[in-house]
């Protein structure tokens, strides 16, 4: 399109100036003049298959009809969108489409606007929606480049179909055909025939370009290579065409960047406990048993159900069970308390009561409401009618023992307050999964020369005096990588870690540990035993001298190498054998 040359024309006797190459339809849209169309899509070259967008045009003495979606404007052209000749031709095309696809709602809507009640032509299939516009075929061929569907037969028997009427192996399930279809003649169905897929907590396939979630920080979209059509067939790239900022680049590759920094804040987060590790809970095997994170996604207003609480069949549950401490406070999995499970389970109970009329059962071991206003919130739920049952759930099954349990999930639990085993039938179960260290926690600890506690989380230098510092100078901790914690505690620790990092950066220097190890080169045998034992990688081997060397800037004076050195070459400053023996002798001197 030539941006410099301008074309002057008239539409319904009103003048307009547009760029050369503009179609009549695009020019009319700039003037807010509506021209009905069914087969037009801005991302595909218009073919005028439906011929609903027909208008009357006049060039000099020549007057004729033209489809506005693919006819370019000319200098001095006069266009009439609502002339009698154009309207009659449009009505004829709509009547033909009503006979071809009587179930297509967009066709019925245009017919209603034009005052057409029924078609004079014979209707063969009252349920047909396809108007044979070809948008689906063209997008599969031109955009997706899969060629999985096409036109078959001719005349009245013409239809869109995969080769030989069987599902094509070339189809990649991208649903582009359903996206471009103007009459919803093509739809995407869940392979499991469910309205909600709890495993993915998403309706239909994931979009190739999306943000992780509406609350993501930073709010930056990403391209999912597993869902992107371009990475499957080499086609599409529509996102590059419509992005005005040219921010999409399918040829971009991952690259590593090295930065020299003085301080590092580790905030690697956590992972949730995988409930499949507890077979009696049947998570992943039975429908309507979901994790806390999946439920959080469901009740979010931007989630797949718009915030509605739904079961796999699309209906609202009449009863919901909330199971605490899944993977936490359990000798078989994690012995520690994850801290957040009790409170987010109570939040879920409140949301369920707010959005449904369901009976709510809360199964807990001990209610740990430790924060400000938390205990008051617990008592509020007691008043709202949530039924609290003290006891660890042993099993969740769908095997009924009575008519009351038919079609339900049965939660088997020992009620420690009533001293009895109960079977509670519910429609949905939400598992309050605990927090665990990330899988790469040990690798990160080794990379930054820090240690982990027995439960796998990063270990701070001192729980009270240095809660965000580590044994390695300049490395600080923030968030659940140091241990399970809720959002207020995470924010507070993040602020403390940022303050420590800024203070060190502003100071520019740091003090070395005065008590460090040193190696007597005359005594060292070069066995290198100390190198493998040093937790701070502060010892290296000098090949020329054949001895081990201590880097004082890295040494923290733990004494591991001193106690393990077989030749006694490694000694600790201020704690030499002679000094220690002198101190012992001093004890016995009166």
């Amino acid at each position: 399109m030539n941006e410099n040359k301008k074309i002057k024309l008239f539409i319904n006797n009103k003048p307009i100036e547009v760029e050369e190459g503009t179609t009549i339809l695009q020019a009319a849209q700039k003037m807010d003049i509506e021209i009905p169309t069914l087969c037009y899509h801005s991302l595909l070259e218009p073919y005028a298959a439906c011929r609903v967008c027909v208008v009357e045009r006049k060039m000099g003495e020549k007057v004729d009809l033209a489809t506005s979606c693919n006819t370019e404007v000319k200098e001095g052209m006069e266009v009439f969108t609502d002339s009698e000749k154009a309207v009659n031709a449009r009505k004829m095309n709509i009547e033909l489409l009503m006979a071809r696809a009587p179930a297509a709602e967009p066709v019925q809507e245009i017919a209603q606007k034009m005052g057409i009640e029924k078609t004079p032509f014979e209707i063969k299939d009252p349920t047909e929606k396809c108007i044979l516009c070809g948008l689906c075929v063209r997008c599969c061929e031109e955009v997706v480049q899969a060629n999985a569907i096409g036109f078959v037969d001719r005349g009245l028997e013409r239809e869109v179909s995969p080769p030989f009427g069987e599902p094509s192996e070339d189809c990649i399930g991208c649903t582009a055909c359903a996206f471009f279809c103007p009459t919803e003649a093509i739809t995407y169905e869940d392979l499991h025939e469910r309205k909600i897929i709890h495993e993915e907590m998403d309706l239909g396939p994931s979009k190739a370009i999306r943000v992780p979630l509406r609350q993501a920080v930073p709010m930056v979209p990403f391209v999912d290579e597993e869902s992107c059509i371009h990475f499957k067939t080499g086609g599409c790239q529509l996102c590059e065409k419509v992005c005005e900022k040219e921010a999409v680049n399918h040829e971009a590759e991952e690259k590593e960047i090295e930065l020299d920094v003085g301080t590092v804040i580790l905030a690697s987060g956590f992972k949730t406990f995988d409930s499949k590790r507890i077979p009696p809970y049947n998570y992943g095997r039975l429908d309507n048993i979901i994790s806390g994170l999946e439920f959080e996604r469901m009740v979010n207003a931007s989630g797949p159900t718009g915030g509605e609480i739904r079961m796999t069949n699309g209906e609202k549950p009449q009863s919901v069970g909330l199971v605490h401490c899944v993977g936490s406070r359990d000798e078989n999995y994690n012995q520690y308390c994850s801290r957040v499970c009790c409170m987010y389970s109570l939040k879920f109970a409140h949301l369920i009561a707010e959005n449904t009329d369901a009976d709510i059962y809360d199964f807990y071991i001990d209610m740990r409401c430790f924060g400000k206003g938390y205990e008051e919130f617990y008592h509020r739920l007691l008043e709202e009618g949530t039924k609290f049952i003290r006891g660890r759930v042993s099993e969740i099954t769908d095997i009924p023992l009575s008519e009351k349990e038919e079609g339900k999930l049965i939660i088997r639990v020992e009620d420690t307050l009533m001293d009895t085993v109960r079977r509670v039938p519910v429609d949905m179960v939400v598992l309050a999964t605990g927090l665990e260290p990330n899988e790469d926690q040990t690798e990160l600890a080794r990379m930054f020369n820090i240690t982990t506690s027995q439960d796998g989380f990063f270990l701070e230098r001192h729980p009270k005096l240095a809660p965000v510092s580590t044994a390695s100078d300049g490395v600080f901790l923030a968030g659940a990588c140091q241990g399970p914690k809720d959002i207020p505690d995470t924010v507070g620790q993040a602020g403390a870690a940022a303050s420590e990092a800024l203070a060190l950066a502003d100071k520019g220097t740091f003090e070395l540990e005065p008590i460090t190890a040193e190696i007597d080169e005359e005594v060292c045998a070069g066995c290198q035993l100390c190198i493998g034992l040093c937790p701070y990688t502060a010892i290296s081997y000098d090949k020329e001298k054949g001895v081990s060397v201590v880097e004082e800037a890295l040494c923290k004076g733990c004494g591991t190498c001193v106690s393990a050195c077989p030749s006694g070459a490694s000694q600790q400053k201020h704690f030499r054998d002679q000094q220690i023996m002198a101190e012992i002798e001093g004890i016995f001197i009166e």
Side-chain angles (χ1 to χ4, degrees):
M1 185 181 295
N2 191 340
E3 298 182 358
N4 297 324
K5 189 173 182 180
K6 299 292 184 179
I7 302 295
K8 295 181 180 179
L9 70 153
F10 292 84
I11 301 180
N12 295 343
N13 297 319
K14 295 180 180 179
I16 183 175
E17 187 177 77
V18 295
E19 297 173 355
E20 184 180 20
T22 303
T23 62
I24 296 175
L25 179 63
Q26 292 171 336
Q29 289 174 344
K30 291 183 178 181
M31 298 179 68
D32 294 329
I33 297 176
E34 182 181 359
I35 299 178
T37 179
L38 289 168
C39 69
Y40 174 77
H41 198 286
S42 59
L43 297 178
L44 291 175
E45 182 183 350
Y47 273 22
C50 70
R51 303 192 68 81
V52 178
C53 65
V54 66
V55 295
E56 185 177 359
R57 66 176 175 177
K58 182 179 180 183
M59 285 292 296
E61 298 297 327
K62 182 181 178 181
V63 180
D64 61 358
L65 294 175
T67 48
S68 61
C69 67
N70 64 342
T71 303
E72 295 185 3
V73 298
K74 301 294 182 182
E75 185 70 32
M77 177 186 288
E78 295 183 59
V79 178
F80 303 95
T81 65
D82 54 1
S83 67
E84 182 178 355
K85 191 175 181 180
V87 171
N88 289 337
R90 200 174 295 158
K91 285 184 176 181
M92 174 65 73
N93 292 327
I94 288 295
E95 289 173 349
L96 289 169
L97 290 175
M98 290 175 68
R100 163 65 198 177
E105 293 184 5
V107 175
Q108 299 293 338
E109 291 174 1
I110 295 177
Q112 186 177 5
K113 290 181 180 179
M114 300 185 69
I116 304 173
E117 296 181 359
K118 62 179 182 178
T119 177
F121 304 102
E122 181 185 358
I123 297 176
K124 292 187 63 176
D125 184 0
T127 63
E128 183 61 65
K129 290 185 176 182
C130 180
I131 62 174
L132 296 176
C133 65
L135 284 178
C136 57
V137 177
R138 291 171 53 211
C139 82
C140 190
E141 177 183 352
E142 300 171 13
V143 177
V144 181
Q145 297 182 8
N147 298 306
I149 55 176
F151 285 113
V152 295
D153 293 330
R154 296 179 179 274
L156 297 177
E157 303 300 323
R158 189 173 176 83
E159 64 177 355
V160 176
S161 172
F164 308 106
E166 297 292 333
S168 174
E169 294 181 357
D170 294 327
C171 179
I172 61 174
C174 65
T175 71
C177 51
F179 172 78
F180 282 97
C181 180
T183 61
E184 297 183 357
I186 301 177
T187 57
Y188 179 86
E189 296 180 0
D190 174 25
L191 296 177
H192 303 286
E193 297 181 355
R194 297 179 297 178
K195 294 183 180 180
I196 299 175
I197 309 174
H198 281 150
E199 184 178 354
E200 300 174 351
M201 283 315 301
D202 205 351
L203 295 179
S206 299
K207 292 184 178 180
I209 298 182
R210 63 184 187 274
V211 293
L213 66 160
R214 291 296 179 185
Q215 290 77 29
V217 178
M219 181 65 75
V220 178
F222 70 98
V223 177
D224 183 359
E225 294 187 12
E226 294 184 0
S227 302
C228 181
I229 296 172
H230 175 72
F231 291 100
K232 294 181 178 181
T233 67
C236 193
Q237 294 183 291
L238 292 177
C239 49
E240 288 192 16
K241 298 176 184 177
V242 300
C243 183
E244 297 180 357
K245 301 296 184 181
E246 299 181 355
V248 182
N249 180 14
H250 289 91
E251 307 305 321
E253 297 181 356
E254 292 184 1
K255 57 183 179 180
E256 294 184 0
I257 301 176
E258 293 187 5
L259 300 174
D260 292 329
V261 297
T263 57
V264 175
I265 297 177
L266 287 179
S268 55
F270 63 94
K271 70 173 182 177
T272 56
F273 179 82
D274 184 3
S275 302
K276 292 180 181 178
R277 292 165 58 187
I278 308 180
Y281 284 2
N282 282 305
Y283 174 79
R285 299 185 182 92
L286 301 179
D287 289 339
N288 300 315
I289 300 178
I290 62 178
S291 68
L293 207 57
E294 290 170 339
F295 186 81
E296 183 75 38
R297 174 87 171 100
M298 181 190 293
V299 297
N300 192 293
S302 63
T305 61
E308 295 289 334
I309 300 172
R310 302 285 182 179
M311 297 188 294
T312 55
N313 60 8
E315 298 178 0
K316 287 189 175 183
Q318 299 300 313
S319 53
V320 181
L322 302 169
V323 181
H324 288 227
C325 298
V326 178
S328 300
R329 301 183 64 192
D330 191 327
E331 292 184 356
N332 297 315
Y333 304 103
N334 299 311
Q335 297 185 19
Y336 56 83
C337 172
S338 291
R339 295 187 66 187
V340 300
C341 311
C342 285
M343 293 314 302
Y344 79 63
S345 295
L346 295 181
K347 182 187 75 170
F348 289 165
H350 177 69
L351 291 173
I352 295 169
E354 207 173 43
N355 292 278
T356 69
D357 296 325
D359 294 326
I360 306 169
Y361 299 91
D362 193 295
F363 302 90
Y364 70 100
I365 302 175
D366 293 302
M367 197 62 67
R368 297 189 170 185
C369 308
F370 62 90
K372 183 178 180 180
Y374 289 3
E375 186 71 19
E376 292 82 350
F377 185 65
Y378 167 51
H379 286 283
R380 177 182 173 181
L381 289 174
L382 288 171
E383 296 173 359
E384 289 181 357
T386 299
K387 302 174 180 64
F388 289 91
I389 300 174
R390 187 177 184 273
R392 182 184 290 277
V393 172
S394 61
E395 182 185 23
I396 304 171
T397 180
D398 62 346
I399 302 175
L401 298 182
S402 63
E403 293 184 2
K404 183 181 178 181
E405 296 178 354
E406 289 286 347
K408 300 282 188 177
L409 295 169
I410 298 94
I411 299 177
R412 192 168 180 270
V413 61
E414 180 185 4
D415 191 331
T416 58
L417 297 180
M418 296 181 63
D419 195 22
T420 184
V421 176
R422 298 177 60 177
R423 291 173 60 90
V424 182
V426 296
D427 293 324
M428 178 184 288
V429 176
V430 182
L431 303 177
T433 49
L435 313 186
E436 289 185 325
N438 273 323
E439 296 176 353
D440 60 350
Q441 196 90 337
T442 304
E443 183 181 348
L444 282 174
R446 188 180 299 112
M447 183 186 302
F448 289 97
N449 293 325
I450 60 177
T451 56
T452 58
S453 55
Q454 186 178 1
D455 49 30
F457 292 98
F458 291 141
L459 187 64
E460 67 281 359
R461 178 175 289 181
H462 192 282
K464 294 181 179 180
L465 302 179
V468 298
S469 301
T470 65
S472 294
D473 293 318
V475 179
F476 304 98
L477 304 176
C481 66
Q482 183 261 340
K485 54 178 61 68
D486 59 3
I487 294 175
D489 287 349
T490 299
V491 174
Q493 190 179 29
S499 299
E500 290 279 2
L502 287 172
L504 183 58
D506 183 64
K507 188 177 181 181
T509 59
F510 61 92
E511 297 179 356
L512 294 177
E513 181 70 36
I515 303 174
T516 59
E518 62 180 359
I519 296 176
D520 189 344
E521 296 182 359
E522 295 181 358
V523 180
C524 180
C527 66
Q528 304 181 43
L529 179 65
C530 54
I531 296 177
L533 294 175
C534 181
Y536 304 103
T537 64
I539 305 177
S540 59
Y541 183 70
D542 190 335
K543 293 183 179 180
E544 294 183 0
K545 296 181 179 181
V547 296
S548 296
V549 180
V550 176
E551 177 58 59
E552 292 190 2
L554 297 177
C555 182
K556 300 301 175 185
C558 65
T560 302
C561 59
V562 177
S563 61
C565 183
S567 62
S570 180
Q571 293 290 322
Q572 197 159 354
K573 294 179 180 179
H574 309 296
F575 284 92
R576 298 180 184 276
D577 292 345
Q578 294 178 351
Q579 292 174 313
I580 295 175
M581 292 301 297
E583 290 178 358
I584 295 174
E585 290 177 2
I587 297 174
F588 298 100
I589 297 176
E590 295 182 0

